[in-house]
Amino acid sequence: MQPRASTMVRVASKVPEVTVYFWIIKVLATTVGETAADLLNFNLGLGLGGTTLAMFAVLAGALVLQYRAPYYIPWRYWLVVVLVSIAGTLITDNLTDSFGVPLEVTTAVFAVALAVVFAWWYRSERTLSIHSISTRRRETFYWAAILTTFALGTAAGDLLAERLGLGYLLSAALFATVIAFIGLFYGLRVFGGVFAFWAAYVLTRPLGASLGDWVAQPSDSGGLNLGTVGPSIVCLLAVVVLVAYLTLSRRDEILDDGFGA
């Protein structure tokens, strides 16, 4: 492989650059998180409690691998994202199904929790930029924010699609529209890069979850009734192919330690 130009400085960033591949994998990982959680819970008969314990144990192992990496390694990073997606789904499902907490409450609580994480992160580091995730403390703030966004997105998506009766497809279209406007306003320099990134990151969670439910859920619930096995396998294979491509091409490495998003 040809060496990088001498004018470019490699920064030991632990996260990828935001490219179109980033958003595609993010939505696919989100969809996997929604369908795989249901697959493990219902189809494999692990139950909500068993599934939660198993997935958090696997997530802990994946986080150890991620923390030990000296810089961004695609398969380690995206493995954690997929597992966090499943864990975020399970957190909301446990609160709603096992403890009877209303979706309105969980959505509000996770929104406040995310605001606290961001406030603590900014107070400590003076930036929320993903281009500066090169220390253990910043990486911890980053993953705390990621897990909270997934839990928030799951609750918000279920709130709109199920509790408020919008349905899965209409909810997905609504979230996609809002994300498109965020991209437009970012292009027009109305929004800064940091705000645009995190706003889109939060909203891609309910987008992917709504799409996953629309594909998997039965017809009488507004879905396509394709089940959880097929969609989980297809989305997971797509993630594997894209991550393999990024590993070989290195197109999503961060070579700038500035403070943009």
Side-chain angles (χ1 to χ4, degrees):
M1 182 174 292
Q2 294 296 322
R4 299 277 177 146
S6 59
T7 56
M8 303 181 77
V9 178
R10 181 186 176 91
V11 176
S13 176
K14 300 294 294 293
V15 304
E17 180 63 271
V18 180
T19 66
V20 64
Y21 301 105
F22 178 94
W23 293 116
I24 292 173
I25 299 175
K26 169 60 164 56
V27 173
L28 288 170
T30 296
T31 305
V32 169
E34 188 70 21
T35 57
D38 290 340
L39 172 64
L40 295 170
N41 185 10
F42 299 109
N43 297 61
L44 299 185
L46 295 181
L48 190 55
T51 300
T52 302
L53 291 175
M55 292 313 305
F56 270 87
V58 176
L59 173 59
L63 278 170
V64 170
L65 287 175
Q66 169 65 18
Y67 272 104
R68 288 182 175 178
Y71 48 83
Y72 166 62
I73 299 175
W75 74 265
R76 294 193 188 193
Y77 173 87
W78 287 111
L79 174 62
V80 174
V81 171
V82 170
L83 293 173
V84 166
S85 178
I86 299 174
T89 300
L90 292 170
I91 290 173
T92 299
D93 287 349
N94 272 282
L95 290 173
T96 302
D97 299 337
S98 299
F99 297 99
V101 181
L103 287 169
E104 295 88 346
V105 174
T106 55
T107 300
V109 168
F110 288 133
V112 172
L114 183 60
V116 170
V117 171
F118 282 148
W120 191 1
W121 183 355
Y122 188 81
R123 181 177 180 180
S124 175
E125 302 295 326
R126 309 310 299 175
T127 179
L128 301 178
S129 170
I130 67 162
H131 287 87
S132 57
I133 310 300
S134 54
T135 67
R136 181 64 58 85
R137 184 167 61 182
R138 289 181 179 180
E139 188 176 10
T140 300
F141 280 124
Y142 178 85
W143 288 115
I146 295 300
L147 179 59
T148 310
T149 64
F150 273 96
L152 171 60
T154 300
D158 289 347
L159 176 63
L160 263 65
E162 299 174 5
R163 186 63 55 84
L164 300 182
L166 293 185
Y168 301 119
L169 187 58
L170 182 57
S171 296
L174 176 62
F175 289 121
T177 300
V178 176
I179 292 170
F181 274 107
I182 291 173
L184 174 63
F185 291 147
Y186 169 68
L188 296 174
R189 300 183 182 277
V190 176
F191 294 155
V194 172
F195 175 83
F197 170 79
W198 285 112
Y201 202 98
V202 170
L203 291 170
T204 48
R205 169 57 187 172
L207 170 62
S210 296
L211 290 174
D213 281 333
W214 176 59
V215 170
Q217 294 299 318
S219 303
D220 56 4
S221 297
L224 297 179
N225 197 30
L226 297 181
T228 56
V229 178
S232 296
I233 293 175
V234 170
C235 290
L236 189 57
L237 286 176
V239 169
V240 170
V241 170
L242 288 171
V243 170
Y245 167 73
L246 293 175
T247 301
L248 296 173
S249 67
R250 299 170 62 183
R251 295 193 62 174
D252 62 341
E253 288 186 0
I254 292 178
L255 297 173
D256 177 15
D257 61 349
F259 292 95

